Amino acid sequence: MKVFLSKYIGFCEGVRRSIAMSYDEIRKANGNVYTDGDLVHNSRTLDRLAYAGIHKLQDDQSLPKNCDSIIVRAHGVTPARRKMLGALGCRVIDATCPKVLRIAGLIKKYSNEGFHILLAGKADHPEIIGLCGYAPDEKITVLSSAREVSNLKTCSEKIIVLSQTTFESEVFEEIANAVLKRFKDATVKNTICSSTINRQREILDFIQSGCDCIIVVGSKFSNNTKSLYNTATANGCHSLIIKNSQDPELANTKKYNCIGITSGASTDYQDAYEIYERLLLVSE
């Protein structure tokens, strides 16, 4: 069995930044440090943060009296949520990924210029929920597939297509093409982040190199992890989402001849490398 390891495994820049900011804050804080929901979508990473003393504040949870600071998750929040957090009386640390903030700025800009924003992504994902807060409800529509474009009402406004940072590139292209076919003057800006694009492209390279299975190391709750899984399966390759080197699903890999290993953007490098080492032992 051949085993290939992605050169893009480990945290993306945005996740690495948010984690570093969180550890820095726990060193400086006089009281408890909370994150506004899950900082990232990876259970092992969250367990490590909790061990360091960084707690998660649920949406319906009252703020503890000894809270020193709240960290805004890497996915970002709505302006209204940010204002609410600021009114709680403790320090707010904005760990939103800069690439998400860039999209938020584009949504605000184009909404103010009279555009209707078509945002490609998963409607229930925290990033999309946060981004939708930067335009009035009637000025923004979330699309998860090209099929949904036919349901759009005829629009006299100018249209721009943007994307969630971790969306599947192939699905975004399908949506963009469907929009341009129906609204020929629409503007398209691919705002999928480079980390996501690079990982998705490398999966296609693995498949072209003969891999018959792609292992995506990460959490099944992570959208970028699922996007990588979907990229592999959409291109006819078996894929597995593996949590860590102790995951029992690793036993199902012996039947494959060539395996490519990649990881979600919120997965630690070590978690992916341990799986690589374990499979190398099996392949010898």
Side-chain angles (χ1 to χ4, degrees):
M1 178 174 67
K2 293 181 179 179
V3 184
F4 295 106
L5 181 66
S6 168
K7 57 180 175 284
Y8 300 111
I9 61 170
F11 299 137
C12 68
E13 291 179 11
V15 168
R16 190 181 301 113
R17 173 180 175 272
S18 68
I19 291 173
M21 290 175 70
S22 299
Y23 283 124
D24 185 56
E25 186 60 23
I26 195 67
R27 285 191 293 267
K28 296 187 299 185
N30 295 318
N32 286 329
V33 175
Y34 285 80
T35 61
D36 183 33
D38 290 332
L39 186 74
V40 294
H41 284 158
N42 183 279
S43 57
R44 289 195 82 183
T45 300
L46 293 175
D47 288 344
R48 290 164 182 159
L49 289 168
Y51 183 78
I54 300 168
H55 313 284
K56 181 175 73 172
L57 182 70
Q58 303 289 359
D59 287 343
D60 58 352
Q61 181 181 347
S62 298
L63 187 69
K65 292 182 180 179
N66 62 341
C67 178
D68 188 67
S69 51
I70 297 178
I71 301 169
V72 175
R73 65 175 76 185
H75 307 106
V77 293
T78 65
R81 178 75 177 174
R82 191 185 308 272
K83 184 177 180 180
M84 184 277 289
L85 293 174
L88 293 176
C90 57
R91 188 164 59 250
V92 177
I93 309 300
D94 190 354
T96 305
C97 172
K99 294 178 181 178
V100 174
L101 289 174
R102 173 179 172 267
I103 300 171
L106 289 173
I107 290 173
K108 188 174 180 179
K109 172 182 182 291
Y110 282 102
S111 174
N112 289 338
E113 291 178 2
F115 282 77
H116 187 91
I117 292 91
L118 299 179
L119 185 58
K122 307 294 184 183
D124 59 350
H125 190 273
E127 179 184 327
I128 291 292
I129 293 171
L131 289 174
C132 284
Y134 285 86
D137 290 346
E138 68 274 11
K139 301 279 287 184
I140 190 165
T141 303
V142 178
L143 299 172
S144 62
S145 72
R147 293 190 303 273
E148 297 172 10
V149 174
S150 61
N151 297 328
L152 294 173
K153 296 179 180 178
T154 302
C155 184
S156 59
E157 299 172 289
K158 296 175 288 186
I159 289 175
I160 185 165
V161 184
L162 304 172
S163 177
Q164 180 179 333
T165 58
T166 56
F167 203 52
E168 292 117 286
S169 296
E170 292 176 343
V171 179
F172 175 78
E173 291 300 326
E174 291 171 0
I175 290 173
N177 289 335
V179 170
L180 289 170
K181 186 176 181 180
R182 186 168 176 200
F183 306 102
K184 300 190 184 300
D185 295 327
T187 301
V188 175
K189 287 186 178 292
N190 187 339
T191 52
I192 299 173
C193 78
S194 57
S195 176
T196 298
I197 291 172
N198 288 336
R199 294 174 200 233
Q200 291 174 358
R201 284 177 177 169
E202 192 175 43
I203 286 175
L204 300 181
D205 291 341
F206 281 156
I207 295 172
Q208 290 176 0
S209 298
C211 287
D212 52 352
C213 178
I214 300 296
I215 288 178
V216 185
V217 186
S219 169
K220 293 179 180 178
F221 299 104
S222 164
N223 186 75
N224 65 75
T225 296
K226 288 187 287 187
S227 290
L228 296 174
Y229 170 89
N230 291 338
T231 296
T233 56
N235 286 276
C237 189
H238 294 284
S239 187
L240 298 169
I241 295 178
I242 301 294
K243 186 176 180 181
N244 54 54
S245 61
Q246 305 305 313
D247 196 315
E249 283 200 68
L250 271 179
N252 298 326
T253 60
K254 297 178 180 179
K255 59 186 177 183
Y256 299 110
N257 297 313
C258 183
I259 296 176
I261 301 173
T262 186
S263 81
S266 53
T267 300
D268 196 318
Y269 178 95
Q270 180 182 350
D271 294 336
Y273 196 79
E274 286 175 356
I275 290 174
Y276 174 63
E277 287 184 316
R278 179 172 170 182
L279 290 181
L280 282 180
L281 291 173
V282 174
S283 67
E284 293 177 350

